[in-house]
Amino acid sequence: MSIAKTLPTTTLGAGGPLVGTQGLGCMGISEFYGDTDAAESRATLDLALELGVTLFDTADVYGSGHNERFLADFVRANRDDLLIATKFGIVRKPDDPAFRGFDNSPAYIRASVEASLRRLGTDTIDLYYMHRRDPAVPIEETVAAMAELVAAGKVRALGLSEVTGDELRAAHAVHPIAALQSEWSLFSRDVERTAVPAAAELGVAFVPYSPLGRGFLTGAFASAKDLSDKDFRRFQPRFTGDNAEHNADLLAPLVAIAAAHGITQAQVALAWVHARAGVHKVSVVPIPGTRKRTRLADNVAAASVRLSADELATLEPIAGQVAGSRYADMSFTSAGRE
C-alpha cells in the first residue's frame, strides 16, 4: 500500500503542541534489542521526520545516556521541526548492569534535567516524563519539582509513565500533564481500566509504548530462543517456553486480517492502537521503535489503515488470553498500584 507523506496531527494535552499521530521510540538504537547500525539508525530518524513523525522519544536511562547523545545532532539539525521527549526516574549502577532503581526526588530531578539538556545539546526539552513512579515520594512533590522546570524554561510540557488513573489525577491537579506513556497493545490492555479513562477525562494525550508487543505481534520472532543473547526479550515471560507457543497461536486473527488487507501484521497491530483513540475519546500517539527505514515506512503507513467493526471484534479477545506478565518483575509498572 502507498505511504502517507504526512501523518495526521493531534495535540499533546489540552491546547498542547501538535504532533504527528505516530511517534518514534528511539530506545533500541542504543541497547536492549541487540546490535545496531548507527548510519541506518540516523537514516531512519531522517526518514521519520520526512514522513511526518515529529515526536521522538528517548530517556536518560537508554544506553546510560548514549541514546540522548546519539540524538543530539539530529535534534540540533531539525530543532524547529520536531519535539524531543526524554525521561528521568530510573536509576542504574555502572557496576551492576541488571540493577534498576527509582528516584523521583526534587534534587534528583533537577540534576537529571541538566544532564539530559547537555547530552541532547538543547536549551529546552519539549516533553519531560517521570519514567517510573517512586512510591517513596508523593507524586504531588515530584510534579511540583517538574513544574519548576517549566517555569524556568528548561521544559515545555510534562509527562508521566506507568501511573494509575488516580495518580494521573493527583499529578494533573498540581500542574497540567500533557501526556501519559504506558504499554498499550493487542497484548497489553490493563491501562484501559483506570489510566486511559482518566487521560480522556483530563484531556491528556496517551502515548502507547511497545504497541507492537515488543515485536512479537509482527511475527518477527515466535520465541525468545529466536533472539540474540544481547536481547532483553529473552528474559520476558511472554516470550519464553510454553507461554511463547501459546501466545504465538493467538496471532491467527491478526495474520488473517493482514492477509485480507495485503498489509503486514505490524500495520494491523498499530491500526488497532490508533482505533482506540475513537473508542476512548482520547488523543493516541503510539511510539513503535525501529532502527530500520523499511519498518518505519510500514509503521507510518499503518496510521492510514482502517479496520472494520468485525475485524476489531475478532481482535478483541486476544489480550485476555495472553500468557505471562509484561515483565519478570511487575513492580516496575503501575500494575501493583491499580
Side-chain angles (χ1 to χ4, degrees):
M1 69 187 298
S2 61
I3 297 171
K5 292 300 181 183
T6 304
L7 281 167
T9 58
T10 189
T11 59
L12 287 180
L18 284 173
V19 296
T21 53
Q22 196 160 281
L24 180 64
C26 300
M27 179 181 77
I29 291 172
S30 296
E31 64 173 334
F32 298 113
Y33 293 113
D35 294 332
T36 188
D37 181 312
E40 178 63 18
S41 294
R42 175 55 195 263
T44 300
L45 295 174
D46 291 333
L47 179 61
L49 195 60
E50 178 185 336
L51 294 179
V53 174
T54 54
L55 179 63
F56 293 82
D57 183 270
T58 182
D60 59 2
V61 74
Y62 300 159
S64 298
H66 173 272
N67 205 239
E68 290 178 327
R69 289 190 294 270
F70 182 87
L71 288 170
D73 286 344
F74 174 72
V75 172
R76 281 192 293 263
N78 302 283
R79 193 64 190 92
D80 296 335
D81 300 318
L82 59 77
L83 276 76
I84 188 68
T86 192
K87 315 178 193 75
F88 73 89
I90 297 178
V91 179
R92 300 178 73 173
K93 292 181 178 180
D95 59 347
D96 183 0
F99 177 83
R100 299 290 186 275
F102 309 105
D103 195 336
N104 290 174
S105 65
Y108 183 84
I109 294 168
R110 287 190 286 268
S112 294
V113 76
E114 295 296 342
S116 286
L117 287 167
R118 286 194 301 272
R119 286 189 292 262
L120 287 164
T122 186
D123 294 328
T124 309
I125 293 165
D126 297 304
L127 178 59
Y128 199 43
Y129 285 102
M130 180 192 76
H131 202 169
R132 288 294 187 273
R133 172 99 166 84
D134 178 0
V137 181
I139 197 165
E140 294 87 351
E141 183 178 329
T142 298
V143 176
M146 295 169 72
E148 293 175 2
L149 305 179
V150 177
K154 298 179 188 295
V155 169
R156 292 195 173 96
L158 302 184
L160 304 173
S161 180
E162 289 283 355
V163 299
T164 67
D166 285 345
E167 288 168 344
L168 177 58
R169 291 186 183 91
H172 195 77
V174 176
H175 186 280
I177 302 299
L180 169 56
Q181 180 180 137
S182 290
E183 188 166 351
W184 194 10
S185 74
L186 278 168
F187 265 23
S188 299
R189 296 179 57 180
D190 52 300
V191 293
E192 294 180 28
R193 290 200 295 271
T194 70
V196 172
E201 169 194 324
L202 299 170
V204 175
F206 208 101
V207 179
Y209 74 78
S210 297
L212 298 176
R214 301 199 182 278
F216 195 83
L217 292 168
T218 71
F221 71 102
S223 168
K225 294 183 294 185
D226 302 332
L227 303 170
S228 77
D229 292 341
K230 297 179 181 179
D231 197 310
F232 89 118
R233 292 172 293 183
R234 289 178 64 89
F235 308 102
Q236 290 191 296
R238 289 182 174 174
F239 311 138
T240 58
D242 292 342
N243 286 350
E245 184 175 354
H246 170 85
N247 293 336
D249 289 342
L250 297 178
L251 301 183
L254 190 150
V255 173
I257 293 169
H261 282 265
I263 59 178
T264 66
Q265 292 175 220
Q267 288 171 319
V268 176
L270 285 169
W272 180 88
V273 175
H274 284 293
R276 305 313 285 170
V279 172
H280 292 280
K281 304 298 187 292
V282 64
S283 294
V284 174
V285 186
I287 50 168
T290 185
R291 301 166 290 183
K292 296 182 179 179
R293 284 170 284 180
T294 52
R295 291 176 182 167
L296 172 83
D298 283 346
N299 291 348
V300 170
S304 301
V305 174
R306 298 293 179 267
L307 302 177
S308 70
D310 285 346
E311 288 167 336
L312 292 169
T314 300
L315 298 170
E316 180 67 23
I318 291 177
Q321 300 172 24
V322 173
S325 57
R326 292 195 282 136
Y327 294 93
D329 179 3
M330 286 295 286
S331 68
F332 204 56
T333 74
S334 61
R337 303 191 304 276
E338 286 285 358

